[in-house]
């Protein structure tokens, strides 16, 4: 068993291979496998968050002993890495080689789905920056993104920069949106109720009222009757700016 934190910087659960080969040894718990454990990990992370996740809590959820889990994984990090890749499997992937498909629309779809994934699973964003992301679902997503962006016509040295511009933006946008959603959920209010109350309070406070007044025309022009609509409009416009930037770089040769 590997101690928590003892793994090298190059370590990954994907380098270790499936531990099912231990099945010939006595004492292996029945009814468990990596998929069941991973699925339970995702459900628990969604329900209780990353801070409360532990091997002991997961074992209780599965009605087994914590030691039983070590037949399938070495550490909690392994479980988190498996859960991370599992949710990447939720992303629908377009066919970059499909005839007549516009790379811009495919890139918009990939970015939009990734944003939704980050919001749907708030624990994903800190993990995505902690592991190598070399699981099969993560790699499938990365490969499709690369193939779509290559079709834009950028020089080879600019492809990874373009991917970073788009998906680092999406990562940041989705992460902040998920934090905002969690804060709202704690209040028991709807997103629109929370926004209205917060803006009213800010407008009444002398230290912040001036900033609100200066941006009143921008907020009005932004459009959208709900918080969800405002977030969607901002995201779509920002994404269009990035795609337009890729097009501009292609035209510059």
């Amino acid at each position: 068993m590997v101690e928590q934190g003892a793994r090298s910087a190059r370590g990954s659960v994907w380098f270790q291979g499936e531990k099912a080969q231990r099945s010939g040894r006595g004492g292996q718990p029945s009814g468990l496998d990596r998929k069941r454990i991973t699925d339970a990990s995702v459900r628990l992370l969604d329900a209780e968050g990353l801070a409360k996740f532990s091997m002991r809590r997961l074992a209780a959820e599965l009605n087994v002993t914590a030691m039983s889990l070590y037949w399938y994984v070495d550490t909690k990090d392994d479980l988190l890495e498996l859960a991370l890749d599992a949710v990447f499997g939720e992303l629908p992937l377009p066919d970059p080689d499909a005839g007549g498909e516009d790379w811009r629309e495919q890139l918009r779809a990939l970015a939009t789905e990734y944003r939704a994934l980050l919001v749907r699973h708030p624990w994903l964003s800190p993990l995505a920056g902690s592991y190598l992301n070399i699981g099969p679902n993560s790699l499938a997503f990365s490969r499709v993104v690369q193939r779509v962006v290559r079709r834009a016509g950028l020089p080879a040295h600019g492809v990874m920069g373009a991917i970073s511009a788009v998906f680092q933006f999406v990562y940041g946008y989705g992460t902040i949106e998920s934090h905002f959603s969690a804060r709202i959920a704690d209040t028991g209010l709807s997103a629109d109720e929370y926004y209205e109350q917060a803006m009213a309070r800010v407008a009444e406070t002398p230290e912040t009222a001036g900033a609100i007044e200066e941006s009143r025309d921008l907020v009005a022009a932004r459009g959208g009757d709900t918080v969800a609509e405002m977030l969607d409009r901002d995201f779509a416009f920002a994404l269009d700016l990035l795609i337009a930037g890729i097009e501009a770089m292609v035209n510059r040769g």
Side-chain angles (χ1 to χ4, degrees):
M1 195 183 306
V2 178
E3 293 297 325
Q4 186 85 11
R7 184 185 302 170
S8 73
R10 297 178 59 189
S12 168
V13 70
W14 303 108
F15 295 152
Q16 298 170 30
E18 180 65 63
K19 295 182 74 172
Q21 64 267 25
R22 294 185 178 182
S23 58
R25 294 172 55 184
Q28 184 184 26
S30 61
L32 284 182
D33 55 42
R34 264 197 177 177
K35 184 178 186 309
R36 185 182 171 204
I37 293 170
T38 301
D39 290 346
S41 297
V42 171
R43 291 195 303 271
L44 201 57
L45 286 162
D46 284 343
E48 299 183 359
L50 185 58
K52 294 183 179 179
F53 184 79
S54 68
M55 299 288 268
R56 188 178 301 277
R57 179 68 187 88
L58 177 62
E61 183 75 10
L62 290 166
N63 198 29
V64 299
T65 66
M67 289 304 298
S68 300
L69 301 176
Y70 290 107
W71 281 94
Y72 304 93
V73 294
D74 284 331
T75 67
K76 186 175 81 169
D77 279 340
D78 289 349
L79 284 173
L80 294 175
E81 198 173 4
L82 290 167
L84 172 64
D85 193 67
V87 297
F88 267 93
E90 299 174 13
L91 292 168
L93 302 179
D95 180 1
D97 301 319
E101 294 294 329
D102 190 323
W103 68 267
R104 300 165 190 82
E105 292 308 313
Q106 289 188 327
L107 187 57
R108 285 189 183 94
L110 287 163
T112 300
E113 291 291 347
Y114 185 41
R115 170 201 169 195
L117 191 74
L118 288 161
V119 175
R120 190 160 65 244
H121 302 292
W123 51 270
L124 188 157
S125 59
L127 297 188
S130 301
Y131 298 106
L132 295 177
N133 292 9
I134 56 171
N137 294 317
S138 298
L139 287 179
F141 176 69
S142 296
R143 289 182 68 187
V144 168
V145 168
Q146 284 187 33
R147 290 166 67 189
V148 167
V149 175
R150 280 179 183 271
R151 290 174 48 217
L154 286 166
H157 69 264
V159 170
M160 296 309 294
I163 291 172
S164 294
V166 172
F167 286 94
Q168 292 290 358
F169 152 70
V170 178
Y171 176 88
Y173 197 98
T175 297
I176 291 173
E177 186 177 356
S178 71
H179 291 172
F180 181 62
S181 297
R183 177 64 181 268
I184 292 170
D186 288 342
T187 68
L189 301 172
S190 71
D192 296 329
E193 290 169 340
Y194 180 88
Y195 179 78
E196 289 176 6
Q197 290 188 19
M199 289 301 98
R201 183 65 181 270
V202 169
E204 293 170 355
T205 305
E207 291 79 8
T208 54
I212 294 297
E213 187 60 34
E214 288 178 13
S215 61
R216 188 177 299 278
D217 62 324
L218 300 179
V219 173
R222 179 194 212 181
D225 296 325
T226 67
V227 170
E229 289 176 354
M230 286 188 286
L231 290 171
D232 287 347
R233 285 172 184 259
D234 287 349
F235 179 82
F237 190 80
L239 186 57
D240 281 347
L241 287 176
L242 290 167
I243 291 174
I246 293 174
E247 292 176 310
M249 294 301 289
V250 170
N251 292 334
R252 283 175 58 179

